[in-house]
Amino acid sequence: MKLSFSNRVATILTLGAITSLSHAQNGLRGIPDTAVEAQLNAFKLIEGAKINLFASEPAVANPTHMNWDQRGRLWVVSSPLYPHIQPGQEEQDKIVILEDTNGDGVADKHTDFATNLHIPTAVLPGDGGVYVANSVEVLFLRDTDGDDVADERKVVLSGFGTEDTHHLLHTFRWGPEGMIWMNQSIYIHTHLETPYGVRRLLGGGMWHFRPETRRAEVFMKGLVNSWGHVFDEWGQSFMTDGAGGQGINYVFPRSVFLSSPGASRILPGLNPGQPKHCGVEALTGRHVPDTLRGALAAPDFRGSRINLFQLTDKGSAYTSTQIADLVSSTHGAFRPIDVKMGPDGAVYIADWYNPIIQHGEVDFRDPRRDHAHGRIWRITFDGKELVKAPDLVKASEADLIQHSNAPEGWTREAATVELRARQPEAVQAALESARAPAGVDPDLFALRKVWTSQALQRFDAAGAAALLSSSNHKARAAALRAIYYDAATNPEALSLAEKAIADPHPQVRLWGVSVLAQLSSPDTVKIALGALEGIELDEFLDFALWSICREHADRWTTAAQTGNPFANTTQLLFAVRALNQAVAVPQILSALGSGELPSDAQVTGVADWISKVGSAADLNALFEFALTEGAKPAHQTTILQALANAGSLRKLQPAGDTARLSRFLQSPDLATFTGAASLAGLWKLESAREGLRAAFLNAPTDEAKGRAALEGLIALGGPPTATMLDEIAKNAQSDYLLRSLAVIGRTKMDPNEGAKLAVAVLTEAPQGKDLHGIFDAFLANKQGPVALSNALSGATLPQAIALAGVQKASSAATKPEALVAALQKAGTIKPMKMALTPAEMEAMMKQVATLGDPHAGEVIYRRTALQCVVCHAIGGAGGVIGPDMVSIGASAPVDYLIESLLEPSKKIKEGYHTTLVTLKNGDSFAGAIAREDTNELVVRDAIGKENRIPKTEIASNQISPVSLMPPGLTAQLREDEFIHLVRFLSELGKDGDFKTPSNRFIRHWQTLMPHPSTRDRIGHYGSKIFTEAVSDYSWAPVYATVAGAVPVGELPEIEGRGKNRLGVARTFIEVKNAGPVKLRITGKLADLDLFHGETEIAMPDGAETEITLDVKEPGRQKLTFAGLKGSGIEGVTVEVLDDASRAELVELNNF
Amino acid sequence: MKSPSFITVLSGLLTFGGILSAQEPTAPLLQSGDRIVLVGNTLFERARLFGQIETTLQIATGPEVKGITLRNLGWSGDSVFGDSRSYFGPPSEGRDRLARNLGETNPSVVLISYGTEAAMSVDQGWTDDAAHAAATAAGIEASRDVFLAGYEALIELVRKSSGESLREIVLISPPPLENLGAPLPDQTENNRRLAIFRDGIRDLAKKNSLRFVDLFAQMGGDSFKGGVAKPALTEDGVHYSEAGHAIVARELAKGLGYSEGSLIDRNLPAYEELKAAVIEKDRFFFHRWRPANETYLFLFRKHEQGQNAKEIPMFDPLIVAEEKKIEEARTRVFAGMTRN
């Protein structure tokens, strides 16, 4: 018997009654064994690695950050006070110094340096003391009498926000140039009074701070929890994010990333869909195996493991490829939150040790939070000797300069910190006579001398300038970064930046633009735009240019009033589009007309920009360009769309004769027709009414065109539209689609009138489904829910359609409770019981643990009807509406998972709050704010659609307490199915079958939907027909399983020869250069046909094979497979064995 | 580090400042039962770590005036527009918050100090308030005018929000900046700007019939010639150290009508006890009015942790208990003075 989950609550209640456990113990059942042995037994290490305990409680409890001093002692801050001080509780969080005095790899001495801190989140020894992030302030603590206990406490900086204690100022690190780098996260708002003026950072970002000058400046903005930052050998910065999930992020001055408030543009990370990280360190030095040297180690604290990434150059930035995990653990309290190379060349890990990682989602006072344990682990490698750390404190200045060129990153950094403590004159003298140690790249040696000079406040500007002539682009880029900080007072900076702008390498250009952004010359933008010439522009360089065009707008806009201050029209178009203002419009329009801006991208660029900033006359010029004899159809479509945007967003139409639009209403092309229909309405072209009416009535044949026509008719409005829609909706003989559309249209015109029609139409909904979105139309209007609930008063609806309405209304950001009640009454639905009592929860958790089957759960998770995959990705495979589930099981307790499925609005992940924007006309949009600028706000809704909203039309804008996830999604499940689903989620990210492997499996696919022609044609041509560009093949998205496989059984059935039924899927990879690309294929190969482009690749028998694609034409490569269903072929995996610099995976939105 | 004795610091100040400018005699500000509220930026925010301002005032009033309490609403980097107080919203939300905090703290006397943040940032902009952001980056005159207009609106906000007990609002000019020598920047130009802002604040006080304390002049700002400060009273040229705060507190007390003679030798043990109780009370109050995790306790994620917001008022009895200690220590201080 199939029982819905809600029906089974009563059963669970009974079960709950017989269990004897109290609620308080309920949550505590999952607490892992706290013994060190239990953790040691649970580690899985990369080949050749060993792990040992360096230190643990009581010396260390809940460590939040660590750094080494020049003497090789490890300073650790820990916070049992986290997440929130209790009234009366002392501020007793600690800094402890851990020391391994006999070199056996275990700390044998620990000293409490300070015991009076309030949630300290960063520690950095140097300058004779230690810098500490202490909530609102940065402290400098010093020991003046040699007992290793702080007796002097000074505030160095104050004004950091504390709006969320897991976002506090954190991640301190010395830069190679002798500055302190520090980060803050999304909810923190910081206001510093520095000796150079007020500095504010509202939201996440990174600061650099020079203690001796007290200069603090913002370097980049954004990232959700920017908990990691590391420099590579050449001083480039890479950051990780504990909530953003894009792996390694390449950051540079003024770069802006995810979640920065008010950002109109953001940059992506280098590993979209990767786990979230806390900390990041570069593996350096002689003790590290050759294969791992240079890799970035990033702790995935949710998944209890440390990921490794390799970087390779790509344009002005990098590609980042995930390789094997350094270490992983099945112990649920192993929470690696920081990783640092040690003085002996080993890798040290701070383990916050806690079964609970959550801050907001789990009660501050949840008894499962650990406040007593903490571990520091040490990883060494077999067959590799440890490094003997030099005695830096006793070393001469000349020796320290040699040490600042050591192969070990630890030695280099500690030597630089020690040099800061020496007499600058002595260091400078030693620098002048220093020679590069054997085996050190002369450019690196020269760069390190420049860095040391900066660390001493005696910047060697000539040395930096000389490096700009290096043959190595990394040295040239690094030289510009060294120049960047004090560029404003460097007389050579402008000419050096100008040289960099013409550099053959895009990264050098990017840093040239960054230096220009620091300068006051009136020509900065003019010079910077030279970077557009002669190379392929990538997203990062594009961003830097976009940014300087805006920041220095007042330096070029006056000249652009009358002419072109730049070298050519392409540069001018770039600048005016970046600025997004009506500057140089006549020049651009004239260039468009004369064919100076011929490419599709340029025409789209002009049209989009004019639609946002142009006048009625400008729009007319654009319209006339589309009407020109011989205009390209693609350009016409683009321009109509732009004019429609101007009409709907800005209420602006071309100044000339608009009736010339009529020729586009004849277009067979859907996009052109849609643009024209919408314009006919916006421009109130009565002459177009008949044509639109005909297209609308034809909706049962061509729905897309019919809907477009309806929009035009609504905008045209008036009694004729109203009467027509009323008649269609009331006519029971009309097609159901037409009647639905008529209700939708009428609702958009007037919700009360629409509501009068709606009840009758909904009553006849086929199978009780709201196929065409009638409820959505009501929910999208402020007055809609009330209008519909009024109309439902006294009416009855079939239960199924009423239930569909309840589901949609319950996830609406406006919380239309009256409508939900009216629908429940009309459909005689009893309110679903969604919340569990503690006893029910207890019983449910027990069942998940004993009966849940995660493999069955994955199949349920992937069911189309459940829609999980539409919104949530696992390791980047899936939708982007909700949080990625990649390590949810390792981070969230089971009760949290159950509650989130039943009551999605109860706990909402940061960054996934719904914003409800209501317009002055009553329309409302709910979703996430995708981006915004001065004129418009872009809201991404629950189906991923981006809605552009003019800011002048916004009546209110508030964060809604309702999750975008509809409640009741799981109501269709049987109880056993629900339990399997929870078990699956609870396994995600834990060591085992459901930890997303780091292999480069192709996870984004499209599957072919059944098509009438395949049966006949396959007989003649075989599976090759699936590789052909058949225009009406329809492809639907499909994602690989956690294990990386495409389950052939799940794919739609395609009719093959005889009784053969096939599952067909295709994907793409991007290959930059011709040559071989290696793939590994698994599955039942005998029943698999695989194609590269249209070329079949022979499959051997067996279950696994490696193949080599022979790429002749670089660029996008199509892979298509057809698998025989029912033959025992369960899943097909395709893994790219080359790294990302050779072959990039393509995501579905770029197919 | 031990704080230098008052005498050492005072002699240092005399060397550094030359002469302290003459102050018009004014009636002492405080009455029994007064509730002082401090509104300002970093100067006041850090005052809570040193406790000198309140301790000095507690003594200056003499034993007859009793039951003085102080609530410090200083916030680093704040402007007259409420920038630092605004959290997720525009500065206007910071002003709303200040109004709420004033209502909750029920002041009889409000001491306001702004100006450093603006004078030091005149060419860069110092507020995100949309109506004024551009003007604050457009030179000294425009910046000062915006500052004074914002200041006047702030005075109005304090008047409206403070409740019926409000008796006096006092405008306090920022103290001068110091030159500490390279590599720290030279503050001569900023001190010149600060003097211009000070003049504006003085005129604003006069226009609104408010008390004005010219901390800038009293601490030698008008005779500043650009020399390197010896001994330094600031950590970085801007922010006063513990020793510097002792001077700030003393000059503030004098500006509020208390004579040199009403101040005491800070080496008395009871004085240290009084100061310790003041610092502890301020620590509790900080967790009360500016708790961490506000996003979860009170703002848009309160559906997740709002249940724990009940802990925040539990700081109130701790504050009251500390205030009892303050009153007791104060009594002992006066007893000690008598013994002297």
Side-chain angles (χ1 to χ4, degrees):
Chain A
M1 184 180 64
K2 180 170 170 157
L3 272 180
S4 81
F5 170 68
S6 50
N7 298 129
R8 297 288 291 216
V9 169
T11 323
I12 299 165
L13 243 176
T14 327
L15 269 174
I18 51 173
T19 158
S20 61
L21 287 165
S22 74
H23 178 50
Q25 288 169 307
N26 159 21
L28 285 165
R29 192 189 289 127
I31 296 296
D33 185 351
T34 55
V36 169
E37 281 303 313
Q39 256 190 315
L40 275 172
N41 292 335
F43 285 125
K44 198 169 102 193
L45 289 146
I46 199 166
E47 202 182 330
K50 287 197 302 269
I51 195 162
N52 72 276
L53 184 73
F54 181 73
S56 69
E57 68 279 352
V60 191
N62 306 131
T64 55
H65 191 235
M66 62 181 183
N67 266 310
W68 301 90
D69 67 12
Q70 304 103 285
R71 292 163 58 185
R73 304 183 304 171
L74 185 62
W75 295 59
V76 183
V77 273
S78 51
S79 180
L81 206 61
Y82 176 90
H84 198 98
I85 190 167
Q86 298 192 28
Q89 198 176 5
E90 293 296 320
E91 296 177 15
Q92 284 182 333
D93 285 342
K94 283 202 302 194
I95 297 176
V96 62
I97 309 172
L98 300 173
E99 204 170 347
D100 170 11
T101 58
N102 59 5
D104 66 353
V106 177
D108 44 44
K109 184 178 170 193
H110 68 90
T111 315
D112 286 346
F113 184 77
T115 55
N116 52 357
L117 300 169
H118 177 246
I119 314 190
T121 38
V123 60
L124 188 67
D127 297 345
V130 64
Y131 296 92
V132 190
N134 191 53
S135 293
V136 292
E137 59 220 359
V138 175
L139 299 176
F140 182 69
L141 305 179
R142 206 157 71 95
D143 164 32
T144 58
D145 57 13
D147 62 357
D148 281 338
V149 177
D151 41 35
E152 186 181 290
R153 174 168 167 146
K154 287 190 170 177
V155 175
V156 176
L157 290 168
S158 66
F160 299 97
T162 59
E163 293 85 323
D164 182 333
T165 52
H166 76 277
H167 296 167
L168 299 172
L169 188 74
H170 50 78
T171 314
F172 286 9
R173 192 183 261 284
W174 286 109
E177 70 305 280
M179 291 195 291
I180 296 175
W181 292 75
M182 47 196 199
N183 303 358
Q184 68 183 52
S185 297
I186 175 170
Y187 292 162
I188 299 299
H189 302 82
T190 292
H191 307 267
L192 307 179
E193 283 166 54
T194 80
Y196 307 85
V198 169
R199 296 290 183 271
R200 306 190 193 278
L201 176 55
L202 313 182
M206 181 157 73
W207 297 86
H208 52 81
F209 172 61
R210 190 173 279 290
E212 56 273 33
T213 65
R214 302 282 174 130
R215 186 184 276 281
E217 302 288 352
V218 174
F219 187 74
M220 57 71 69
K221 292 183 184 179
L223 296 180
V224 184
N225 295 163
S226 50
W227 287 328
H229 172 217
V230 69
F231 299 93
D232 74 356
E233 198 171 34
W234 294 93
Q236 295 286 349
S237 283
F238 300 90
M239 293 176 74
T240 55
D241 187 341
Q246 305 213 335
I248 307 296
N249 298 273
Y250 173 57
V251 304
F252 53 88
R254 295 170 169 78
S255 56
V256 180
F257 291 80
L258 181 69
S259 87
S260 183
S264 42
R265 181 173 175 187
I266 56 170
L267 284 165
L270 302 178
N271 307 84
Q274 284 307 311
K276 297 145 191 186
H277 299 115
C278 186
V280 63
E281 174 74 316
L283 301 185
T284 61
R286 286 162 287 182
H287 181 65
V288 171
D290 300 351
T291 49
L292 300 182
R293 198 168 300 122
L296 300 185
D300 167 13
F301 55 99
R302 289 179 168 83
S304 301
R305 62 179 177 173
I306 297 181
N307 299 139
L308 294 177
F309 298 89
Q310 288 282 13
L311 298 174
T312 41
D313 296 349
K314 185 191 178 194
S316 62
Y318 300 82
T319 41
S320 166
T321 307
Q322 192 179 353
I323 56 176
D325 289 339
L326 179 65
V327 59
S328 64
S329 172
T330 52
H331 191 282
F334 174 59
R335 300 298 180 189
I337 49 81
D338 198 6
V339 54
K340 293 276 157 60
M341 298 300 298
D344 57 353
V347 183
Y348 288 76
I349 299 160
D351 171 8
W352 186 50
Y353 193 95
N354 218 312
I356 302 288
I357 67 146
Q358 290 85 355
H359 177 73
E361 296 88 338
V362 173
D363 195 295
F364 287 172
R365 307 305 176 207
D366 191 303
R368 288 169 294 186
R369 290 179 180 273
D370 185 289
H371 297 280
H373 297 86
R375 312 268 153 94
I376 308 293
W377 302 99
R378 172 175 174 268
I379 290 182
T380 51
F381 300 96
D382 290 332
K384 284 277 188 181
E385 277 196 35
L386 287 161
V387 176
K388 186 167 168 14
D391 187 339
L392 297 172
V393 179
K394 287 192 184 142
S396 68
E397 284 77 18
D399 286 347
L400 284 172
I401 289 165
Q402 297 295 301
H403 293 316
S404 73
N405 282 282
E408 285 75 30
W410 179 84
T411 312
R412 295 198 298 267
E413 182 181 313
T416 304
V417 176
E418 178 62 27
L419 280 166
R420 281 173 54 79
R422 302 297 178 90
Q423 283 294 328
E425 293 76 17
V427 181
Q428 191 156 14
L431 265 183
E432 279 161 18
S433 58
R435 296 273 157 79
V440 171
D441 180 327
D443 283 340
L444 264 180
F445 177 69
L447 176 61
R448 288 165 180 163
K449 281 189 3 182
V450 170
W451 283 339
T452 304
S453 75
Q454 288 185 299
L456 302 173
Q457 281 297 310
R458 295 174 173 223
F459 178 44
D460 176 9
L467 266 173
L468 259 183
S469 302
S470 161
S471 60
N472 185 343
H473 79 267
K474 290 176 188 286
R476 303 198 297 276
L480 289 161
R481 180 165 179 161
I483 291 165
Y484 163 82
Y485 305 109
D486 293 309
T489 54
N490 180 345
E492 305 296 317
L494 186 68
S495 62
L496 294 173
E498 191 162 10
K499 183 178 168 194
I501 293 299
D503 195 280
H505 199 282
Q507 190 175 72
V508 181
R509 294 190 183 198
L510 180 143
W511 280 97
V513 177
S514 297
V515 169
L516 286 169
Q518 298 281 78
L519 304 181
S520 55
S521 157
D523 295 327
T524 48
V525 179
K526 184 178 172 181
I527 297 169
L529 285 170
L532 289 170
E533 306 299 325
I535 52 164
E536 196 183 326
L537 188 65
D538 62 47
E539 192 170 5
F540 295 86
L541 178 55
D542 188 300
F543 186 96
L545 285 167
W546 173 85
S547 171
I548 196 172
C549 286
R550 296 163 69 93
E551 188 178 340
H552 293 182
D554 56 356
R555 305 186 192 179
W556 60 271
T557 43
T558 310
Q561 298 298 339
T562 50
N564 181 356
F566 309 124
N568 55 48
T569 319
T570 303
Q571 291 185 11
L572 181 63
L573 177 60
F574 185 96
V576 297
R577 288 196 67 207
L579 192 61
N580 200 25
Q581 288 176 16
V583 175
V585 175
Q587 296 95 304
I588 294 292
L589 284 173
S590 139
L592 180 72
S594 65
E596 267 182 76
L597 299 166
S599 76
D600 289 358
Q602 285 172 324
V603 174
T604 305
V606 174
D608 177 58
W609 171 66
I610 291 287
S611 77
K612 289 177 182 161
V613 307
S615 65
D618 302 332
L619 292 176
N620 194 51
L622 202 57
F623 189 36
E624 283 180 355
F625 181 76
L627 289 162
T628 313
E629 207 58 43
K632 276 174 75 175
H635 294 174
Q636 292 173 326
T637 307
T638 297
I639 287 173
L640 291 181
Q641 192 53 55
L643 292 173
N645 287 341
S648 60
L649 295 171
R650 299 175 60 218
K651 315 280 175 254
L652 202 60
Q653 64 184 61
D657 174 15
T658 49
R660 292 174 290 176
L661 181 72
S662 60
R663 59 184 263 201
F664 297 118
L665 282 167
Q666 313 305 320
S667 170
D669 178 66
L670 176 64
T672 307
F673 176 83
T674 304
S678 137
L679 285 174
L682 288 166
W683 296 350
K684 306 284 182 202
L685 285 180
E686 269 305 323
S687 58
R689 186 181 288 278
E690 257 325 293
L692 291 175
R693 181 185 157 86
F696 173 61
L697 293 175
N698 195 38
T701 313
D702 189 341
E703 183 178 340
K705 226 167 171 176
R707 281 185 183 259
L710 176 61
E711 292 303 320
L713 287 165
I714 294 168
L716 214 43
T721 303
T723 312
M724 180 192 85
L725 295 177
D726 283 345
E727 282 170 5
I728 293 170
K730 283 178 186 159
N731 181 356
Q733 307 309 311
S734 294
D735 180 273
Y736 187 73
L737 168 66
L738 266 188
R739 293 184 74 196
S740 301
L741 291 180
V743 173
I744 291 166
R746 200 69 183 92
T747 304
K748 286 184 178 178
M749 293 174 75
D750 180 343
N752 288 311
E753 293 299 323
K756 286 183 198 160
L757 306 169
V759 178
V761 177
L762 285 170
T763 303
E764 288 166 36
Q767 293 109 46
K769 287 183 178 164
D770 181 19
L771 295 170
H772 309 298
I774 293 177
F775 287 123
D776 306 84
F778 283 99
L779 293 170
N781 186 288
K782 195 179 173 185
Q783 284 83 36
V786 174
L788 186 55
S789 42
N790 289 343
L792 283 168
S793 164
T796 57
L797 278 183
Q799 199 171 41
I801 189 75
L803 201 57
V806 167
Q807 219 176 70
K808 280 183 177 171
S810 306
S811 62
T814 46
K815 281 188 102 171
E817 282 162 14
L819 177 58
V820 172
L823 285 164
Q824 282 168 338
K825 194 158 176 236
T828 56
I829 304 166
K830 291 196 189 100
M832 273 187 288
K833 177 160 183 177
M834 284 308 185
L836 299 184
T837 66
E840 291 163 0
M841 180 63 86
E842 168 80 18
M844 177 66 78
M845 288 171 68
K846 192 175 173 192
Q847 289 190 312
V848 169
T850 52
L851 305 174
D853 174 354
H855 294 275
E858 183 173 27
V859 176
I860 294 161
Y861 177 88
R862 294 174 58 82
R863 271 186 203 163
T864 317
L866 226 51
Q867 295 185 309
C868 305
V869 183
V870 177
C871 295
H872 294 279
I874 300 175
V880 296
I881 313 284
D884 195 307
M885 303 273 107
V886 63
S887 47
I888 187 81
S891 61
V894 172
D895 50 356
Y896 168 77
L897 294 173
I898 294 171
E899 193 175 67
S900 296
L901 287 168
L902 298 178
E903 299 174 87
S905 293
K906 202 150 175 194
K907 308 276 162 72
I908 304 175
K909 186 78 208 133
E910 64 206 16
Y912 292 93
H913 277 80
T914 304
T915 298
L916 174 64
V917 181
T918 309
L919 305 195
K920 289 171 185 160
N921 71 2
D923 286 354
S924 59
F925 296 89
I929 294 183
R931 60 186 175 277
E932 64 177 301
D933 61 25
T934 45
N935 304 319
E936 64 184 56
L937 189 72
V938 181
V939 176
R940 190 186 297 116
D941 68 16
I943 56 166
K945 186 180 163 220
E946 291 193 344
N947 299 286
R948 289 170 54 181
I949 302 164
K951 282 193 170 166
T952 52
E953 300 290 312
I954 295 175
S956 72
N957 176 355
Q958 65 204 76
I959 294 173
S960 162
V962 180
S963 171
L964 276 178
M965 175 164 156
L969 276 179
T970 51
Q972 59 187 284
L973 296 180
R974 296 190 315 263
E975 184 189 321
D976 61 318
E977 292 176 324
F978 184 84
I979 284 164
H980 295 324
L981 177 65
V982 173
R983 181 63 189 271
F984 166 65
L985 293 173
S986 77
E987 291 296 320
L988 283 172
K990 289 182 184 161
D991 226 26
D993 290 351
F994 298 97
K995 177 177 278 195
T996 303
S998 59
N999 309 45
R1000 305 188 70 221
F1001 290 120
I1002 297 181
R1003 295 182 175 276
H1004 288 231
W1005 295 83
Q1006 282 179 330
T1007 182
L1008 182 64
M1009 302 306 284
H1011 188 272
S1013 76
T1014 57
R1015 188 191 176 95
D1016 292 339
R1017 294 177 61 239
I1018 200 166
H1020 295 289
Y1021 307 106
S1023 298
K1024 189 166 186 266
I1025 63 165
F1026 303 126
T1027 69
E1028 292 165 1
V1030 176
S1031 68
D1032 60 346
Y1033 273 171
S1034 164
W1035 298 86
V1038 59
Y1039 298 96
T1041 62
V1042 176
V1046 182
V1048 176
E1050 280 183 17
L1051 303 181
E1053 282 192 358
I1054 303 297
E1055 288 193 75
R1057 290 190 183 93
K1059 287 185 178 167
N1060 283 356
R1061 296 291 177 268
L1062 305 170
V1064 179
R1066 68 173 185 184
T1067 190
F1068 299 90
I1069 57 174
E1070 193 78 32
V1071 179
K1072 195 131 197 182
N1073 302 305
V1077 172
K1078 282 199 165 55
L1079 303 178
R1080 181 187 289 130
I1081 317 291
T1082 71
K1084 193 182 172 200
L1085 302 177
D1087 289 331
L1088 187 70
D1089 296 336
L1090 178 69
F1091 297 86
H1092 170 212
E1094 299 194 357
T1095 310
E1096 179 155 13
I1097 296 172
M1099 285 288 115
D1101 284 348
E1104 180 179 329
T1105 184
E1106 281 188 22
I1107 61 165
T1108 303
L1109 301 183
D1110 179 16
V1111 175
K1112 295 198 175 74
E1113 291 281 323
R1116 183 157 287 207
Q1117 313 293 314
K1118 184 167 72 173
L1119 298 171
T1120 310
F1121 77 71
L1124 186 63
K1125 284 179 165 249
S1127 68
I1129 190 169
E1130 287 183 350
V1132 173
T1133 69
V1134 179
E1135 181 185 356
V1136 180
L1137 299 176
D1138 291 299
D1139 71 16
S1141 62
R1142 179 74 195 109
E1144 279 184 64
L1145 308 182
V1146 180
E1147 299 201 358
L1148 261 164
N1149 53 2
N1150 294 319
F1151 271 24
Chain B
M1 190 186 71
K2 282 218 149 181
S3 54
S5 82
F6 170 66
I7 301 299
T8 331
V9 171
L10 179 65
S11 59
L13 175 80
L14 285 169
T15 332
F16 139 87
I19 30 160
L20 299 173
S21 65
Q23 177 80 8
E24 286 173 34
T26 43
L29 173 73
L30 299 169
Q31 303 172 2
S32 283
D34 262 345
R35 163 61 60 84
I36 308 166
V37 168
L38 306 184
V39 175
N41 48 37
T42 310
L43 179 73
F44 281 165
E45 184 188 283
R46 292 198 192 173
R48 83 190 198 288
L49 303 173
F50 305 123
Q52 317 248 34
I53 288 180
E54 177 172 354
T55 309
T56 303
L57 290 176
Q58 290 279 9
I59 303 303
T61 57
E64 287 72 32
V65 176
K66 292 189 167 65
I68 303 284
T69 57
L70 183 144
R71 296 288 180 267
N72 185 342
L73 301 180
W75 202 317
S76 279
D78 195 30
S79 76
V80 289
F81 294 105
D83 278 85
S84 297
R85 300 167 198 272
S86 63
Y87 281 159
F88 295 88
S92 63
E93 287 185 21
R95 301 197 286 277
D96 295 345
R97 182 190 176 95
L98 177 60
R100 205 168 59 243
N101 290 149
L102 285 165
E104 289 159 359
T105 47
N106 200 27
S108 52
V109 172
V110 179
L111 310 186
I112 312 178
S113 174
Y114 284 101
T116 321
E117 76 296 340
M120 297 193 59
S121 316
V122 286
D123 294 324
Q124 311 161 13
W126 44 266
T127 179
D128 287 326
D129 191 273
H132 303 294
T136 64
I140 178 84
E141 279 83 17
S143 200
R144 178 201 55 198
D145 293 349
V146 166
F147 172 80
L148 293 173
Y151 210 147
E152 190 146 34
L154 175 68
I155 294 167
E156 194 49 38
L157 178 145
V158 172
R159 279 194 176 125
K160 273 192 184 152
S161 319
S162 297
E164 290 178 358
S165 313
L166 183 69
R167 194 181 76 244
E168 284 226 38
I169 296 172
V170 185
L171 308 192
I172 297 161
S173 88
L177 307 168
E178 288 185 327
N179 273 353
L180 300 184
L184 283 163
D186 186 291
Q187 298 291 4
T188 310
E189 178 59 20
N190 279 336
N191 260 341
R192 198 185 62 76
R193 291 166 166 164
L194 204 49
I196 294 171
F197 276 73
R198 181 271 318 267
D199 294 348
I201 300 169
R202 183 189 53 213
D203 296 347
L204 188 65
K206 198 169 176 190
K207 181 180 161 197
N208 288 274
S209 309
L210 303 177
R211 274 187 202 239
F212 171 65
V213 178
D214 193 347
L215 223 42
F216 185 79
Q218 283 176 246
M219 297 188 64
D222 287 320
S223 50
F224 181 77
K225 297 279 187 296
V228 171
K230 264 187 195 161
L233 296 180
T234 62
E235 302 282 1
D236 53 9
V238 183
H239 301 301
Y240 279 75
S241 61
E242 184 168 14
H245 263 267
I247 308 296
V248 169
R250 171 196 167 78
E251 292 306 316
L252 178 64
K254 284 163 68 179
L256 295 175
Y258 297 96
S259 69
E260 185 98 37
S262 65
L263 310 172
I264 64 148
D265 181 349
R266 294 163 199 233
N267 288 327
L268 281 177
Y271 177 88
E272 285 302 320
E273 289 165 27
L274 171 59
K275 199 173 75 174
V278 163
I279 292 170
E280 187 69 348
K281 179 264 298 174
D282 281 352
R283 186 175 78 81
F284 289 138
F285 180 62
F286 196 81
H287 290 306
R288 174 68 173 95
W289 83 281
R290 229 170 108 183
N293 290 310
E294 285 219 23
T295 317
Y296 295 87
L297 297 172
F298 301 107
L299 303 176
F300 59 92
R301 290 182 75 169
K302 71 177 173 198
H303 58 287
E304 293 169 70
Q305 298 289 348
Q307 68 276 13
N308 291 310
K310 65 177 185 294
E311 290 181 0
I312 303 304
M314 288 156 71
F315 281 100
D316 287 339
L318 301 173
I319 294 167
V320 170
E322 248 5 92
E323 271 168 345
K324 196 159 163 259
K325 286 189 200 165
I326 290 172
E327 202 61 38
E328 288 163 3
R330 190 171 173 262
T331 310
R332 286 200 299 279
V333 169
F334 289 127
M337 285 176 87
T338 314
R339 274 201 301 278
N340 272 359

